[in-house]
Amino acid sequence: MSLNPSKVAPEPEPEPETEPEPEPQPEREAGPGPGPEAQGPGPEGESGPPAGPGPEPEPPSAAGQDREPERGRAAGPSAEPPPPPASRPEALRAPRPRCRTDCLEAPLSRAFQRLGWKVGAHPWVFLLLPVALTAVLGTGLMYLPRDGDEDLEEQYTPIGSPAKAERRFVQGHFTANDSLVFSVSRKSTDVPYASLLVVSDTETLLEPDILEEISKVDDAVQALTVTQDNGTQIPYSEVCAKNQGICVPPNPLLFAWKRNKGLNLTAITFPIYSPAGQIVSLANILGGTVLGPSQSLLQAKAMRLQYYLETGEGEENERSKAWMIHFLTKFGSFEKSLALKKIQVVYFSSLSRKLEFEATSRTVVPLFHLAYLLIILFAVVSCYRCDCVRNKMWVAVFGVVSTGLAVVSSFGLMLYVGVPFVLIVANSPFLILGVGVDDMFIMISAWQKTSLTDSVSERMSDAYAQVAVSITITTLTNVLAFYTGVMSSFRSVQYFCIYTGTTLLFCYFYSITCFGACIALDGKREGVCLRWLEKPGTPGQKCSSFKKSCCLPGSSLQDGWKADIHPMNLFFRDYFGPLLTSTKSKIFVVLLYVSYIVTSIYGCFRVEEGLDLRNLASDDSYITPYFNVEEEHFSTYGPRVMVIITEVLDYWDKDARQRLEKCLVDFENSEYVDENLTEFWLREYVNYMENLRQDINDKTVFLSTIPTFLMEFPLFAYDINITSSQEIICSRAFIQSMGISSSTNKKLMLLQFRDMAEKCAVPLMVYNPAFIYFDQFSAIVENTVRNVVVASAAMFVVSLLLIPHPLCSLWVTFAIASVIVGVTGFMAFWKVNLDSISMINLVICIGFSFDFAAHISYAFVSSSEPSANHKAIEALYLLGYPVLQSAVSTIIGVCVLSAAKAYIFRTFFKIMFLVMVFGAAHGLIFIPVFLTFF
């Protein structure tokens, strides 16, 4: 919609159905080609462009054309009656509006007027050059990743998160030789593994016959051997993580039972078990436990078998990866061959998230084809007219094709310049299809309002001048909304916003060049058809029925200049508008809005934060039951957390030890820590020294006894960084987290641990590899708020520049805030988390909220009607159908994603659906009513 106050003046009644008199053409400035006397609506006799030295006539759109039902973001062409031909000279002679509302619109309209003239004069140039550009840029698609090798940590965790700095510190100060002693909790990164969760069909699996079945499964897994293409075989024994040369047992309790099947299963304690005098932690090893007196284990419903693999560089990693892939491929088949009767087994590996995430991208390709067909169908239906001359079905089809060209060009360019293509970008074409066709509707609408008696160049010039601000403001707001996403701390969000924002710019460019050329060529067809239809066989004979339907499908030729107002515009003017502005309806709308905003605010406090990694896979993936079992039976305990003393400390000093011990006790007193599972070398060393009756407070004795201590307890050697000069640079303890199954608790635990570390008198740091992903829980809200605030501020500035009416700008800001609150709140009710995926959509909704609110509110404040109710009815008459059409076109573009099997695509549909519904509700219901109160 071109936001010009002159365009919302009262609409004149349609002229009587008489043959129009020939219209005197106003004199134009000189330009190339014949002058304005060179007539004909066809290709012949096109006059020069409205450019040249000297003053220029004001374009109709900037000078106050007669009022027509305006188009918003996605206006269809059929709602606009053609202007009476006699109105054009008056429009061109109309005085220029004041600069207050026209200082940007008028120059932009004149620039588009010149461009329209050139497109009309040289359509093939403007058609073929964009197609050639697409062919060139489209070659960039050869850089699309074929193997789908996407780093989930890189794309879906915050850039520069504290955990990544903590990991660098751990990697720089602590090392571990896996070939001697393996300890997964001491690793700074995730260790490759294959995992099984075994669930008993009975109340407990601590029965010999059930453990026998579990043992069969374990033996089958350890017997797996990979045969590579070159014939090399890789058995499990060659790739397993080793402890003193022996593969690390997948489960210490099962290992003890297999070595001694007479093991007393009723004497097991939990979570600490001490077989043969060795302390073993069963936390996260057994699940669904029931304890008796003295921590005795009465029942255990589930057991975890974790097959850790060797880590290293190059070939070692490739061998481990090959074995894991073989494990994932074969497990389902050999599980059936084992004929398990008393247990259920689910499986997973450290590669599973990545492999399943990549597999989801292939499921959405057929949906894109369906979305394309639906958008074409919608465009054809919207642009069909019974007037066989002005019917624009095939133009609409090319408009959708033009949007496809923009996607190809943009994606090819981004791949050429090296912007990574991540899976979330696969959502972009669905959104572009729905939004990109909006400019097409606006341009067809403007073309339909031009005079058939003008040349194609004149008609293109008038149409371009009319749509200048319409398509510019909608493109600008949406592109700004996307480009603000570049400030996000998540690379996946950055890349999605770059791809989508750039594609919208290409849509804009192709609309005013390639698609405009298509309209011009169709305009030449109109001229040829019109002359043939108006050529009677005998004097006084009217067009035959055959002639009326010959050019394109249609049943009638519009006689004269009869207005062709779309029935939906009449519905909004004659039925919906009066009903909405009645007193009872206003009361109902106010109550409805209060209910909406209260419900939304309530939902905002219930939104879960962070991306659940199980949602990266499709619904029918094997990892879904694995995570379900883990959540049900293994949710009590979380990861073991390193508590690192980061600086040199006099450990032999009693005061220093007491300060450190106080901090460690504070950690153990947290509701997120099991105090019985803390592991700290210094506590063991103090006991060791006391047993030897050594003076722990003597520096020389303290340091000289450490080597002997580490000989007896070799695992602690990886917890002390001691130099050759006997200086302890840093060391670490381990605490066992618990009660953090929800994303909220994960965030609270992480913030609490870091806060306690910061407040400790001894410099401390906390770390676990899982913190890399936990950081998203605290970063997501900050990123969302920042992006929304910056994008909203940008929209407010745009509204002041292009629609500089203070009241209108305030209502636009109100609508943006209200829609964002509504979408965020209802996300909770639709079980959508606030994560990097939904954050993208919240940024998107700012641009759409602006479009809906700006057009309606500006039409209201610019109306010349005497009463507020009539202003609201007029605004709905002009823009009700376009707003509705805009929402429908976008929903159609993304609706196919509702059938996707992956959360990442369904989430996109859900939030876009909420954005469109709430945005349209504000534009069609809430804002028109609220405006009548002021």
Side-chain angles (χ1 to χ4, degrees):
M1 164 186 161
S2 185
L3 300 176
N4 190 325
S6 64
K7 292 182 188 175
V8 286
E11 180 182 16
E13 292 297 322
E15 298 259 347
E17 298 183 18
T18 58
E19 285 293 307
E21 292 293 324
E23 178 185 343
Q25 296 291 329
E27 185 176 357
R28 295 179 180 262
E29 294 294 329
E37 301 83 58
Q39 5 314 183
E44 306 84 22
E46 292 181 351
S47 52
E56 299 184 47
E58 197 67 29
S61 66
Q65 268 192 332
D66 296 319
R67 172 171 167 201
E68 306 280 352
E70 284 289 347
R71 286 299 173 196
R73 291 179 55 255
S78 57
E80 316 278 352
S87 66
R88 292 187 71 254
E90 288 81 5
L92 291 171
R93 292 194 297 268
R96 182 175 179 173
R98 291 185 301 168
C99 186
R100 186 181 71 85
T101 61
D102 212 18
C103 50
L104 289 180
E105 182 181 9
L108 188 63
S109 295
R110 286 195 295 270
F112 266 67
Q113 192 177 38
R114 297 188 188 97
L115 176 62
W117 186 284
K118 293 184 180 296
V119 173
H122 310 286
W124 286 107
V125 174
F126 285 90
L127 176 66
L128 296 179
L129 285 181
V131 172
L133 178 62
T134 301
V136 173
L137 295 179
T139 58
L141 296 178
M142 65 184 178
Y143 296 109
L144 272 173
R146 303 295 180 187
D147 54 359
D149 190 12
E150 189 166 321
D151 188 341
L152 299 185
E153 177 189 314
E154 177 73 13
Q155 304 302 336
Y156 296 95
T157 60
I159 302 170
S161 67
K164 293 179 180 178
E166 294 159 1
R167 180 173 60 188
R168 287 192 294 271
F169 182 91
V170 173
Q171 290 173 334
H173 292 81
F174 298 97
T175 58
N177 188 344
D178 291 345
S179 62
L180 298 177
V181 179
F182 177 83
S183 174
V184 65
S185 61
R186 287 168 168 80
K187 302 293 289 184
S188 60
T189 58
D190 288 327
V191 178
Y193 65 87
S195 179
L196 300 178
L197 297 183
V198 181
V199 182
S200 172
D201 293 335
T202 61
E203 292 183 351
T204 180
L205 50 69
L206 299 177
E207 301 289 344
D209 55 341
I210 296 180
L211 290 177
E212 192 67 47
E213 280 202 355
I214 299 175
S215 179
K216 287 170 55 180
V217 174
D218 177 41
D219 293 340
V221 171
Q222 297 197 39
L224 284 176
T225 300
V226 185
T227 302
Q228 295 185 305
D229 294 338
N230 59 6
T232 304
Q233 291 191 332
I234 307 175
Y236 171 74
S237 58
E238 290 188 8
V239 295
C240 64
K242 295 178 175 62
N243 197 347
Q244 297 180 347
I246 302 174
C247 288
V248 175
N251 186 289
L253 180 60
L254 179 66
F255 179 73
W257 182 85
K258 290 175 72 173
R259 295 184 64 181
N260 177 21
K261 295 191 177 181
L263 181 69
N264 184 5
L265 298 174
T266 63
I268 299 173
T269 56
F270 186 87
I272 299 296
Y273 178 51
S274 303
Q278 295 182 344
I279 297 177
V280 176
S281 172
L282 298 180
N284 278 328
I285 297 298
L286 296 178
T289 57
V290 177
L291 303 182
S294 303
Q295 299 296 106
S296 62
L297 184 61
L298 301 180
Q299 296 179 3
K301 183 72 172 176
M303 176 182 287
R304 185 193 303 269
L305 305 181
Q306 200 89 341
Y307 301 88
Y308 291 108
L309 305 179
E310 64 181 1
T311 57
E313 300 295 333
E315 185 178 351
E316 287 184 355
N317 279 341
E318 291 301 317
R319 286 161 58 89
S320 296
K321 181 178 179 181
W323 189 90
M324 275 192 291
I325 294 175
H326 183 68
F327 163 81
L328 295 174
T329 305
K330 296 296 183 181
F331 182 81
S333 59
F334 81 68
E335 180 190 10
K336 295 178 181 178
S337 66
L338 293 174
L340 304 174
K341 298 179 180 179
K342 297 184 178 182
I343 58 175
Q344 304 293 327
V345 184
V346 292
Y347 62 102
F348 184 75
S349 81
S350 54
L351 275 178
S352 293
R353 289 193 191 98
K354 182 178 180 180
L355 294 176
E356 290 299 292
F357 184 60
E358 293 163 359
T360 59
S361 62
R362 294 187 289 271
T363 65
V364 79
V365 174
L367 297 179
F368 180 74
H369 300 152
L370 177 60
Y372 211 87
L373 292 175
L374 289 176
I375 288 294
I376 289 177
L377 179 62
F378 177 75
V380 167
V381 172
S382 297
C383 297
Y384 176 79
R385 293 172 72 94
C386 293
D387 182 339
C388 66
V389 174
R390 294 197 173 197
N391 185 29
K392 288 292 178 285
M393 288 196 309
W394 303 115
V395 175
V397 171
F398 188 82
V400 180
V401 173
S402 175
T403 302
L405 296 179
V407 173
V408 172
S409 299
S410 174
F411 280 32
L413 176 62
M414 293 297 98
L415 290 168
Y416 262 129
V417 300
V419 180
F421 184 92
V422 297
L423 178 61
I424 198 173
V425 176
N427 284 300
S428 181
F430 296 93
L431 176 65
I432 296 300
L433 275 179
V435 178
V437 297
D438 293 349
D439 290 349
M440 173 193 77
F441 288 130
I442 297 174
M443 294 180 68
I444 292 178
S445 171
W447 172 265
Q448 300 285 38
K449 294 194 294 186
T450 59
S451 172
L452 280 169
T453 61
D454 288 343
S455 68
V456 170
S457 292
E458 289 175 324
R459 296 178 68 187
M460 291 296 295
S461 177
D462 291 344
Y464 269 50
Q466 181 178 335
V467 304
V469 174
S470 285
I471 63 176
T472 300
I473 193 173
T474 53
T475 300
L476 182 61
T477 53
N478 288 324
V479 169
L480 280 176
F482 279 110
Y483 280 163
T484 56
V486 177
M487 300 185 305
S488 171
S489 298
F490 297 86
R491 295 198 185 277
S492 57
V493 177
Q494 293 180 349
Y495 299 147
F496 176 89
C497 291
I498 291 173
Y499 270 91
T500 309
T502 305
T503 305
L504 287 176
L505 286 177
F506 270 95
C507 282
Y508 177 73
F509 173 69
Y510 283 1
S511 292
I512 61 178
T513 55
C514 183
F515 180 66
C518 178
I519 293 179
L521 292 173
D522 189 72
K524 296 177 184 294
R525 179 202 61 82
E526 287 184 3
V528 173
C529 290
L530 184 64
R531 286 195 300 273
W532 184 56
L533 289 169
E534 290 181 343
K535 184 178 180 181
T538 58
Q541 180 182 348
K542 291 188 176 181
C543 298
S544 66
S545 298
F546 170 74
K547 284 189 174 183
K548 289 181 179 181
S549 58
C550 63
C551 291
L552 279 177
S555 59
S556 67
L557 177 66
Q558 296 287 334
D559 294 323
W561 298 102
K562 181 180 178 181
D564 183 22
I565 302 176
H566 197 281
M568 286 298 297
N569 290 89
L570 298 178
F571 167 77
F572 278 100
R573 183 188 67 184
D574 299 336
Y575 299 98
F576 184 79
L579 176 64
L580 188 67
T581 54
S582 66
T583 303
K584 292 182 180 180
S585 295
K586 289 182 181 180
I587 296 174
F588 174 77
V589 168
V590 170
L591 294 177
L592 179 65
Y593 182 78
V594 171
S595 301
Y596 158 81
I597 202 68
V598 169
T599 305
S600 300
I601 293 174
Y602 172 74
C604 288
F605 290 100
R606 295 177 58 87
V607 174
E608 292 283 339
E609 299 167 17
L611 180 63
D612 187 344
L613 293 181
R614 85 183 72 182
N615 291 330
L616 296 178
S618 59
D619 298 337
D620 56 358
S621 169
Y622 63 87
I623 76 172
T624 301
Y626 178 91
F627 279 109
N628 291 339
V629 171
E630 187 174 52
E631 183 176 341
E632 181 179 359
H633 298 295
F634 295 91
S635 60
T636 302
Y637 292 101
R640 288 184 65 78
V641 179
M642 302 179 194
V643 180
I644 306 165
I645 300 95
T646 59
E647 297 180 5
V648 175
L649 181 70
D650 296 335
Y651 294 92
W652 54 87
D653 182 76
K654 184 176 181 180
D655 292 337
R657 291 201 306 273
Q658 288 178 344
R659 293 195 304 271
L660 179 57
E661 182 67 20
K662 179 182 181 301
C663 294
L664 201 58
V665 169
D666 289 340
F667 277 103
E668 291 175 329
N669 290 335
S670 168
E671 67 271 29
Y672 300 117
V673 175
D674 187 334
E675 61 181 353
N676 298 315
L677 297 177
T678 301
E679 183 182 6
F680 189 23
W681 72 271
L682 185 59
R683 287 179 177 176
E684 297 297 328
Y685 188 54
V686 169
N687 294 333
Y688 178 80
M689 294 286 283
E690 290 176 349
N691 292 335
L692 295 177
R693 301 183 184 278
Q694 298 288 331
D695 185 6
I696 191 70
N697 298 315
D698 184 277
K699 176 180 178 181
T700 303
V701 174
F702 184 96
L703 294 175
S704 62
T705 311
I706 286 180
T708 307
F709 169 74
L710 296 180
M711 290 284 290
E712 295 191 29
F713 300 91
L715 200 57
F716 288 135
Y718 302 117
D719 299 336
I720 308 172
N721 186 339
I722 186 168
T723 66
S724 57
S725 59
Q726 297 294 302
E727 182 181 38
I728 301 177
I729 298 176
C730 56
S731 69
R732 61 186 173 184
F734 296 89
I735 57 177
Q736 178 63 57
S737 63
M738 61 183 296
I740 58 169
S741 57
S742 70
S743 60
T744 300
N745 287 342
K746 287 183 175 70
K747 180 181 74 170
L748 293 176
M749 179 270 288
L750 184 57
L751 294 177
Q752 184 187 94
F753 283 6
R754 285 176 176 163
D755 183 63
M756 288 192 292
E758 185 177 352
K759 291 180 179 179
C760 179
V762 177
L764 297 181
M765 174 189 294
V766 291
Y767 174 72
N768 182 276
F771 287 2
I772 301 291
Y773 295 94
F774 289 3
D775 269 334
Q776 65 167 314
F777 301 132
S778 56
I780 194 70
V781 175
E782 175 191 348
N783 274 259
T784 302
V785 171
R786 181 177 67 241
N787 290 343
V788 166
V789 169
V790 172
S792 300
M795 298 303 102
F796 184 74
V797 171
V798 170
S799 68
L800 286 177
L801 290 176
L802 294 179
I803 46 173
H805 194 294
L807 180 61
C808 182
S809 298
L810 290 176
W811 280 112
V812 168
T813 306
F814 160 79
I816 291 174
S818 181
V819 172
I820 290 175
V821 171
V823 171
T824 306
F826 277 78
M827 281 167 49
F829 304 128
W830 215 344
K831 297 182 180 180
V832 176
N833 287 3
L834 181 60
D835 50 37
S836 57
I837 301 168
S838 54
M839 181 172 65
I840 290 173
N841 294 273
L842 289 177
V843 173
I844 292 172
C845 81
I846 296 173
F848 291 122
S849 303
F850 177 93
D851 294 340
F852 290 137
H855 296 326
I856 289 288
S857 58
Y858 195 79
F860 179 94
V861 300
S862 302
S863 172
S864 59
E865 291 291 336
S867 69
N869 284 350
H870 285 90
K871 289 176 182 286
I873 294 173
E874 185 177 64
L876 289 170
Y877 167 60
L878 295 174
L879 292 165
Y881 182 48
V883 166
L884 182 63
Q885 202 173 23
S886 171
V888 171
S889 68
T890 305
I891 290 175
I892 288 176
V894 300
C895 70
V896 295
L897 294 178
S898 63
K901 294 182 179 180
Y903 166 89
I904 191 171
F905 297 112
R906 286 199 308 274
T907 295
F908 196 84
F909 159 73
K910 289 179 179 180
I911 300 185
M912 286 306 304
F913 180 83
L914 292 176
V915 169
M916 290 297 105
V917 170
F918 291 157
H922 280 73
L924 298 178
I925 300 174
F926 296 138
I927 288 182
V929 169
F930 293 161
L931 284 169
T932 63
F933 298 149
F934 300 93

